Amino acid sequence: MIGPLPQQRKPLKDIYLYGNPYGEKPETRVDWLKGLKVKMIPPERAEVLYYVGCTTAYEPSLHPIGKSLVRLFQYLHTDFGILKEEICCGEPARRMGDEGLFQEMMNRNLDQFKSFGIKTIVTISPHCFNVFLNEYSSIQGEIKIQHYTQFLAEAFKEKKPLFKREVSSVVTYHDPCYLGKHNQIFNPPRELLKMIPGVKLVEMKMTREESLCCGGGGGRMFAEVEEERRLSDMRIAQALEAGANIIATACPWCYKMLQTSIQDSNLGDKITVKDVAEILSESL
């Protein structure tokens, strides 16, 4: 195994020291929840563990996504809670080549899940979802693992959602790799977007199994790699070609990569990136 890249050594060290790849203080991880009434596990218990993930917890531009999902859970009267001492799922460590650190983070998470009797985990990030579902082998069959788009699509089929506010936009959906290609979850996000009044859903030329990666996976979020044209720039061009003014996704890393491309290309007047949870919450 070759790696990590020089720029990836710091996030690996930060995961080891702080429990997140950004070097942020663990005690600030739930600061984004201020003003929201959410169960903290422990001391409380809940039927559903809402696993937020490092990027959404620490990146201010992603806090609205975290809050949107809280609002949607509350609308559905979901009995959910957040780990008081949530730590990284370990996925970045494994992808960047530090298997020992991955094993340590996995075991720490497993101890929490088992100690607090967790039976269902709903994640924001497809990366967290994939690693829990496919790489935490000891909980397979014991804990139900869902990405939030799966959870909401099922819940809203049973309870007719009161989406009232029209979102008069042409929306295209970008399939995150670890939701789409790796786990074949293509329909739930699209079903949710179709529930929103005013949304015209269009497809880009590379979609579903053929979807183009945003360029952030495999540790690329933490290392600049020279390339003639960034994958995220190509994806924004494809969204514009499809006639969209919103590119929707359901992954914090995709969100950040696409947002950076829009900003760097000065295309903010033509297109914006939004998470599916944000659009749903805005329409309630």
Side-chain angles (χ1 to χ4, degrees), residues 126-127 173-182 185 189 211 249-251 254:
H127 294 262
Y173 175 69
H174 165 77
D175 290 279
C177 292
Y178 277 97
L179 202 58
K181 292 177 184 175
H182 288 275
I185 298 168
S211 182
T249 189
C251 172
C254 292

Side-chain angles (χ1 to χ4, degrees), residues 218-231:
R220 290 274 297 270
M221 276 287 291
F222 308 102
E224 286 291 333
V225 180
E226 287 188 17
E227 51 194 337
E228 288 187 11
R229 192 183 184 195
R230 291 182 301 191
L231 292 172

Side-chain angles (χ1 to χ4, degrees), residues 8-224:
Q8 294 173 330
R9 289 173 186 155
K10 184 181 184 301
L12 288 170
K13 184 179 179 181
D14 287 339
I15 292 173
Y16 176 75
L17 292 174
Y18 304 107
N20 70 82
Y22 303 108
E24 298 289 347
K25 295 178 181 178
E27 57 267 26
T28 66
R29 191 173 185 117
V30 294
D31 282 359
W32 66 276
L33 280 170
K34 284 180 180 175
L36 298 174
K37 290 184 178 181
V38 176
K39 285 184 178 182
M40 300 305 297
I41 307 171
E44 297 174 282
R45 298 235 173 185
E47 291 179 8
V48 173
L49 170 62
Y50 169 22
Y51 186 88
V52 181
C54 301
T55 309
T56 302
Y58 290 117
E59 172 54 56
S61 68
L62 300 179
H63 290 172
I65 299 172
K67 292 177 180 178
S68 294
L69 197 47
V70 167
R71 187 181 180 211
L72 291 160
F73 281 146
Q74 290 173 338
Y75 172 81
L76 289 163
H77 303 292
T78 303
D79 179 21
F80 73 99
I82 290 171
L83 285 175
K84 188 176 182 180
E85 296 184 2
E86 184 184 285
I87 57 170
C88 181
C89 65
E91 194 264 2
R94 173 167 269 187
R95 299 295 175 259
M96 290 188 281
D98 194 330
E99 182 63 21
L101 181 56
F102 166 73
Q103 294 291 334
E104 179 175 338
M105 302 311 291
M106 178 179 70
N107 289 331
R108 287 173 62 186
N109 273 307
L110 288 173
D111 286 345
Q112 289 208 76
F113 298 162
K114 291 174 183 178
S115 294
F116 306 134
I118 303 300
K119 297 300 180 186
T120 300
I121 300 175
V122 176
T123 75
I124 290 181
S125 172
H127 294 262
C128 303
F129 163 75
N130 178 71
V131 80
F132 291 153
L133 182 70
N134 297 315
E135 298 176 32
Y136 276 39
S137 56
S138 67
I139 62 171
Q140 290 175 1
E142 293 184 10
I143 298 178
K144 186 177 183 179
I145 311 294
Q146 289 191 300
H147 185 259
Y148 83 80
T149 55
Q150 292 176 290
F151 182 89
L152 293 181
E154 288 179 10
F156 281 137
K157 280 178 183 175
E158 296 176 5
K159 178 178 181 178
K160 191 176 180 180
L162 295 175
F163 294 125
K164 295 178 179 178
R165 179 178 171 271
E166 280 201 14
V167 179
S168 298
S169 298
V170 180
V171 179
T172 192
Y173 175 69
H174 165 77
D175 290 279
C177 292
Y178 277 97
L179 202 58
K181 292 177 184 175
H182 288 275
N183 289 291
Q184 304 297 301
I185 298 168
F186 302 115
N187 293 328
R190 291 173 169 84
E191 290 168 3
L192 290 168
L193 289 168
K194 288 175 182 177
M195 294 179 188
I196 302 168
V199 164
K200 180 185 178 184
L201 188 63
V202 296
E203 295 287 357
M204 291 178 274
K205 63 182 179 183
M206 297 176 73
T207 188
R208 295 178 180 260
E209 293 90 345
E210 303 298 325
S211 182
L212 189 67
C213 175
C214 74
R220 290 274 297 270
M221 276 287 291
F222 308 102
E224 286 291 333

